[in-house]
Amino acid sequence: MDFQTNTRPAENPAARRALESARSSVRLYGVLGAAALVAVVVVAATGHTVNTFMWVRAALLPVIAYVILRITASAAQGSRRAFERVSTLAVIVPVAIIGVDLIPGVCPPWYAVVQTLCVLPVIRVAFLTRGAALKAAFPKSPKSPKSPKSPKAPEAG
């Protein structure tokens, strides 16, 4: 059995629903990220201060959403490796975004709130990828048994 690509997670109705929910959540993350970019544009256009960090973060969020969406699509087609990546990113992305926004002076409080709202759908993906349906569809591969250490040959002396 190939543990890199599961046979058919799409044949499991619960897994299919969970993966579709994950895809919908990532799409929502992309839409919210695009809305955050529009907000930064509007704030800058009205003469308020927008720092480089805000521009870069606002531009990257929709790109990151697209990448996660593509990986999620691969997971939906049975790629265990893609599933593991989505599962990992769904934890790392929110922690990184919220953690950096909490550093004093990095961004204004309103922007930190917007970023936190944007990342809520990704937190949902973290829970979905750890649910029973997807754990069953993508079981962990069995660990290969460790080979016993061969006894050292006596030194010639």
Side-chain angles (χ1 to χ4, degrees), residues 73-154:
S74 292
Q77 293 181 355
S79 170
R80 173 158 180 70
R81 188 172 180 184
F83 171 74
E84 290 171 349
R85 287 179 176 168
V86 169
S87 182
T88 300
L89 286 170
V91 172
I92 292 172
V93 168
V95 170
I97 288 175
I98 295 169
V100 170
D101 287 350
L102 290 175
I103 298 171
V106 169
C107 61
W110 71 265
Y111 190 72
V113 170
V114 167
Q115 295 292 296
T116 300
L117 292 174
C118 286
V119 84
L120 289 177
V122 180
I123 294 170
R124 180 176 183 233
V125 174
F127 283 102
L128 287 168
T129 57
R130 284 155 181 75
L134 292 180
K135 280 186 176 181
F138 295 99
K140 291 193 182 238
S141 58
K143 295 186 180 193
S144 58
K146 291 184 179 180
S147 59
K149 291 186 178 182
S150 56
K152 282 189 168 182

Side-chain angles (χ1 to χ4, degrees), residues 21-101:
S21 292
R23 289 172 79 175
S24 295
S25 294
V26 174
R27 282 188 202 103
L28 178 57
Y29 169 58
V31 168
L32 293 173
L37 177 57
V38 169
V40 170
V41 170
V42 169
V43 168
T46 58
H48 294 86
T49 303
V50 175
N51 64 26
T52 304
F53 169 79
M54 293 167 66
W55 280 113
V56 171
R57 171 72 70 81
L60 283 178
L61 287 184
V63 173
I64 292 168
Y66 177 76
V67 170
I68 296 173
L69 185 61
R70 298 300 306 152
I71 297 170
T72 305
S74 292
Q77 293 181 355
S79 170
R80 173 158 180 70
R81 188 172 180 184
F83 171 74
E84 290 171 349
R85 287 179 176 168
V86 169
S87 182
T88 300
L89 286 170
V91 172
I92 292 172
V93 168
V95 170
I97 288 175
I98 295 169
V100 170
D101 287 350

